[in-house]
């Protein structure tokens, strides 16, 4: 007598399974934690070094003594609707305050202190100074400009930051009086700016997205920060899980945009070079080596320019590397080798052409494609080196107050 057979369960289509796994991945975890930490450290370090180097010249670059005067900048911003808080007032005191806040925000973001708030302040500092004098810069300012916008949406403080250290100690789930005070001060600053200059400030109608002004964008970021704190403290269940999923999604989306932006920079630069006659005949590098403005080491530049073979190989190699880079992402080994070649190329540009901040910005942008294993080994090596160089701190022993020694002494 035969036993009845149960019908086999219907198999889920492979496409639906892959889609479900992909959705669970992008909403369940923040990808590229070490890569975004490198971006945070690298770009804040680049901007901080630039601001400190130009500290004696800050008035001539972005301040009241700049050749691009305040009135001309105001006319240009009224036309292109760029965001800069330096246009809120033409006083020297206001300029000094904004420049100092840009320096402080870059330093604190480098350390990873309150990265959610400091990334917004870092973005405001970058946009305010760069949009004040748009004709300054060497190309690296454009990269820094874009990356400052994208870093706001990333969770770039999960590793190698003071925030990660505080979370590891278990102090991030407390009352967090410092975070509440910082959030309150930012809200008061936004409200003051809106109430005092709502009639003449051009930051309400134009912003980072169509239909969203900068005032609405900044208030939205401020409100999300407050909502995050309230949900973490009073609703740690499903509302916290929903906000975590949205944060993961925003982080992964911003990371994808950063990677696409780097590929776009190299592909457009390479294909435009192909169309130039000087790049086609291999003599493009010869001309900047003979310009005094791009020759910090005239002897070295002249030595390279005398060898036509070296100039030809460097010119063709630059074009080949830039055009081929987006396609090498399909092969991990080739991509890693090409990353090393491109970073070496940017180091050469920094030395030969005297463009250190452009090269540093591009090297940091390239670091988004570095393998996680390499970054973790590098971080471990840096940690062990710091422990060897820095003296070990003795553990703190609490000193009992007067009258508590007898109570704390064990009986017998």
């Amino acid at each position: 007598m035969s036993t009845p057979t149960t019908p086999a369960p219907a198999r889920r289509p492979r496409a639906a399974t892959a889609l479900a796994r992909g959705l669970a991945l992008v909403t369940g975890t923040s990808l590229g934690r070490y890569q975004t930490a490198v971006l945070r450290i690298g770009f804040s370090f680049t901007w901080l070094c630039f601001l400190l180097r130009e500290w004696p010249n800050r008035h001539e670059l972005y301040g009241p003594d700049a050749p691009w005067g305040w009135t001309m900048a105001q006319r240009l911003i009224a036309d292109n609707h760029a965001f800069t808080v330096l246009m809120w007032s033409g006083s020297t005191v206001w300029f000094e305050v904004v420049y100092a806040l840009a320096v402080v925000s870059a330093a604190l973001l480098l350390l990873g202190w309150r990265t959610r708030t400091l990334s917004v302040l870092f973005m405001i500092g970058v946009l305010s100074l760069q949009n004040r004098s748009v004709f300054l810069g060497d190309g690296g300012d454009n990269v820094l400009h874009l990356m400052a916008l994208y870093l706001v949406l990333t969770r770039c403080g999960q590793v190698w930051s003071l925030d990660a250290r505080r979370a590891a100690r278990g102090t991030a789930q407390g009352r967090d009086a410092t975070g509440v005070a910082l959030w309150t001060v930012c809200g008061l600053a936004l409200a003051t700016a809106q109430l005092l200059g709502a009639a003449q400030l051009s930051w309400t109608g134009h912003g980072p997205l169509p239909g969203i002004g900068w005032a609405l964008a900044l208030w939205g970021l401020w409100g999300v920060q407050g909502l995050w704190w309230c949900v973490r403290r009073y609703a740690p269940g499903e509302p916290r899980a929903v906000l975590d999923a949205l944060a993961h999604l925003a982080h992964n989306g911003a990371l994808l945009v950063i990677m696409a932006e780097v590929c776009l920079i190299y592909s457009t630069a390479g294909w435009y070079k192909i169309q130039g006659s000087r790049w086609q005949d291999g003599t493009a590098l010869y001309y900047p080596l003979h310009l005094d403005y791009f020759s910090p080491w005239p002897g070295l530049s002249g030595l390279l320019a005398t060898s036509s073979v070296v100039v030809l190989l460097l010119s063709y190699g630059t074009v080949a590397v830039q055009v081929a880079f987006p396609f090498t992402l399909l092969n991990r080994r080739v991509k890693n080798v090409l990353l090393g070649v491109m970073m070496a190329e940017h180091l050469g540009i920094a030395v030969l052409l005297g463009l250190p901040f452009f090269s540093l910005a591009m090297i940091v942008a390239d670091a988004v494609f570095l393998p996680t294993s390499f970054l973790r080994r590098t971080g471990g090596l840096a940690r062990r080196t710091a422990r060897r160089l820095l003296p070990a701190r003795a553990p703190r022993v609490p000193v009992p107050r007067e009258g508590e020694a007898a109570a704390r002494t064990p009986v017998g």
Side-chain angles (χ1 to χ4, degrees):
M1 186 174 181
S2 60
T3 57
T5 58
T6 57
R11 296 182 178 179
R12 297 179 62 184
R14 293 184 179 180
T17 304
L19 181 61
R21 290 179 179 178
L23 185 61
L25 179 64
V26 298
T27 58
T29 183
S30 294
L31 304 175
R33 297 184 303 161
Y34 291 91
Q35 286 79 2
T36 52
V38 170
L39 293 179
R40 185 199 83 236
I41 296 171
F43 285 121
S44 58
F45 176 76
T46 303
W47 183 239
L48 178 62
C49 291
F50 176 79
L51 293 179
L52 293 179
R53 193 195 73 168
E54 300 297 344
W55 180 270
N57 308 315
R58 62 189 186 278
H59 291 277
E60 289 77 15
L61 293 177
Y62 307 107
D65 299 332
W68 188 252
W70 193 81
T71 304
M72 292 188 292
Q74 192 176 31
R75 292 178 181 177
L76 180 61
I77 289 174
D79 183 45
N80 60 13
H81 308 293
F83 173 76
T84 170
V85 299
L86 287 178
M87 290 294 100
W88 295 2
S89 174
S91 65
T92 306
V93 176
W94 176 243
F95 166 74
E96 296 289 354
V97 170
V98 173
Y99 200 94
L101 288 178
V103 173
V104 172
S105 62
L108 293 179
L109 185 63
L110 174 64
L111 299 175
W113 185 79
R114 308 289 173 176
T115 52
R116 291 175 181 168
T117 302
L118 265 299
S119 61
V120 179
L121 297 179
F122 175 77
M123 176 195 67
I124 293 175
V126 171
L127 298 183
S128 298
L129 292 176
Q130 289 187 355
N131 290 334
R132 167 62 178 83
S133 299
V134 295
F135 299 104
L136 296 176
D138 50 12
D141 57 323
N142 295 328
V143 179
L144 186 62
H145 190 112
L146 294 173
M147 297 304 172
L149 293 169
Y150 302 146
L151 277 178
V152 175
L153 301 177
T154 62
R155 309 180 76 176
C156 54
Q158 291 187 329
V159 295
W160 297 342
S161 65
L162 295 179
D163 290 348
R165 185 180 181 182
R166 188 176 68 254
R169 291 181 175 179
T171 57
Q173 301 295 334
R175 296 183 179 276
D176 195 12
T178 304
V180 174
L182 184 62
W183 180 80
T184 305
V185 170
C186 292
L188 291 176
L190 273 176
T192 303
Q194 190 113 26
L195 292 176
L196 294 182
Q200 65 268 20
L201 299 183
S202 61
W203 66 315
T204 56
H206 301 273
L209 296 174
I212 299 179
W214 278 106
L216 181 59
L218 294 177
W219 276 116
L221 293 172
W222 182 82
V224 168
Q225 184 76 354
L227 177 63
W228 182 275
W229 184 87
C230 293
V231 169
R232 185 184 64 179
R233 181 158 181 83
Y234 300 108
E238 185 175 355
R240 171 68 182 273
V242 172
L243 288 184
D244 278 335
L246 294 177
H248 291 315
L249 186 61
H251 168 91
N252 296 326
L255 182 60
L256 179 62
V257 172
I258 291 174
M259 298 170 69
E261 189 71 38
V262 176
C263 293
L264 184 62
I265 290 174
Y266 282 117
S267 61
T268 52
W271 287 108
Y272 271 109
K273 285 183 175 66
I274 289 177
Q275 302 175 23
S277 59
R278 295 293 178 263
W279 291 99
Q280 292 176 5
D281 57 26
T283 61
L285 188 61
Y286 176 83
Y287 300 98
L289 291 176
H290 286 79
L291 295 176
D292 295 336
Y293 183 78
F294 293 106
S295 298
W297 310 96
L300 182 59
S301 301
L303 181 62
L304 284 177
T306 56
S307 177
S308 58
V309 177
V310 174
V311 172
L312 179 68
L313 292 178
L314 291 178
S315 300
Y316 282 169
T318 300
V319 176
V321 166
Q322 292 181 351
V323 172
F325 176 73
F327 303 99
T328 60
L329 299 180
L330 302 176
N331 189 296
R332 181 178 301 178
R333 294 182 179 179
V334 178
K335 180 260 297 181
N336 294 336
V337 172
L338 200 60
L339 272 177
V341 174
M342 296 175 65
M343 290 182 178
E345 176 189 355
H346 288 304
L347 288 176
I349 292 175
V351 175
L352 291 176
L353 302 182
L355 300 174
F357 296 108
F358 165 77
S359 300
L360 185 56
M362 291 306 303
I363 289 175
V364 174
D366 294 340
V368 74
F369 296 103
L370 289 175
T372 303
S373 58
F374 172 78
L375 293 177
R376 296 182 65 176
R377 287 195 301 267
T378 304
L381 179 62
R383 191 180 302 111
R384 291 191 297 269
T385 304
R387 289 176 180 175
R388 293 176 181 177
L389 297 178
L390 298 178
R393 296 174 58 185
R396 296 180 59 185
V397 179
V399 179
R401 300 176 183 175
E402 185 179 357
E404 294 182 356
R408 294 185 179 181
T409 304
V411 179

